[in-house]
Amino acid sequence: MIKSLLVFIALANFMMGSSAHSQEAPPPSDQAKRIEDLVNRAAALVEQRGQQAAFSEFRKRDSEWWSGNTYLFAYDDHLNVLLNPAFPKREGTNPHGEKDANGKMFHDEFLQTVQTRGAGWVDYMFPKPGQTQPSHKWSYVKGFKADGMSGLIGAGFFGG
């Protein structure tokens, strides 16, 4: 009995250890914590003030919402781009099925993450603002409900 329990504990520890290395989230860092906090505060603001008021704040460069390579983006629950101040030509488009340089349909994964878990991290390849070559990016996405619709809001950071 005790031997079976020890085997079970060892197996559980192994499984937990291997899932931590599957990269479902970026390595713990101050940057990752800041992004999660930013997205959580942004989702709350959208729910409190509505999209139009919140998004006008999110579009302000050199603000708490858009600084350097960190900016917010938002989609409705059909993957229509509602907000992307760093790449404004993307607004009004629908990137369903688009793939990154590695073949990952990361926009679809944003929506799937929000629909299955409410919030979470997605990694993919995407160009930094002002560049065309893709870089590794981690984005945290969270669902919101405002103005009679559901959507998601996210932000990310570049790095390994």
Side-chain angles (χ1 to χ4, degrees), residues 23 34-36 38 42-43 48 57 60 72-73 75 78-79 94 100 111 118 132 138-139 144 155 160:
Q23 291 294 317
R34 277 194 308 275
I35 294 294
E36 277 191 50
L38 179 73
Q48 290 169 354
E57 290 297 313
K60 294 179 182 172
L72 292 162
F73 56 84
Y75 299 76
H78 298 288
L79 280 182
N94 187 306
D100 72 0
L111 188 58
T132 55
W138 281 99
S139 285
F144 70 81

Side-chain angles (χ1 to χ4, degrees), residues 130-153:
Q131 297 185 4
T132 55
Q133 286 297 105
S135 298
H136 186 234
K137 185 172 187 179
W138 281 99
S139 285
Y140 185 75
V141 293
K142 182 178 176 95
F144 70 81
K145 291 189 187 322
D147 307 320
M149 59 149 311
S150 299
L152 67 89
I153 193 154

Side-chain angles (χ1 to χ4, degrees), residues 31-138:
Q31 197 171 25
K33 288 179 198 163
R34 277 194 308 275
I35 294 294
E36 277 191 50
D37 179 61
L38 179 73
V39 171
N40 289 330
R41 289 186 298 115
L45 190 67
V46 171
E47 290 185 354
Q48 290 169 354
R49 295 182 53 198
Q51 290 177 57
Q52 187 174 0
F55 287 5
S56 69
E57 290 297 313
F58 302 159
R59 292 181 200 286
K60 294 179 182 172
R61 189 183 280 276
D62 300 321
S63 69
E64 66 179 303
W65 307 110
W66 182 13
S67 178
N69 286 336
T70 301
Y71 57 91
L72 292 162
F73 56 84
Y75 299 76
D76 69 12
D77 61 358
H78 298 288
L79 280 182
N80 295 305
V81 180
L82 304 173
L83 172 78
N84 194 323
F87 297 92
K89 290 181 179 176
R90 295 189 71 79
E91 291 181 17
T93 66
N94 187 306
H96 169 66
E98 280 184 20
K99 297 177 182 175
D100 72 0
N102 295 332
K104 185 178 212 174
M105 293 189 302
F106 64 96
H107 303 283
D108 297 76
E109 197 166 318
F110 290 159
L111 188 58
Q112 181 182 1
T113 297
V114 166
Q115 289 175 337
T116 58
R117 299 189 310 224
W121 287 98
V122 176
D123 76 316
Y124 54 100
M125 299 299 290
F126 198 77
K128 295 178 182 177
Q131 297 185 4
T132 55
Q133 286 297 105
S135 298
H136 186 234
K137 185 172 187 179
W138 281 99

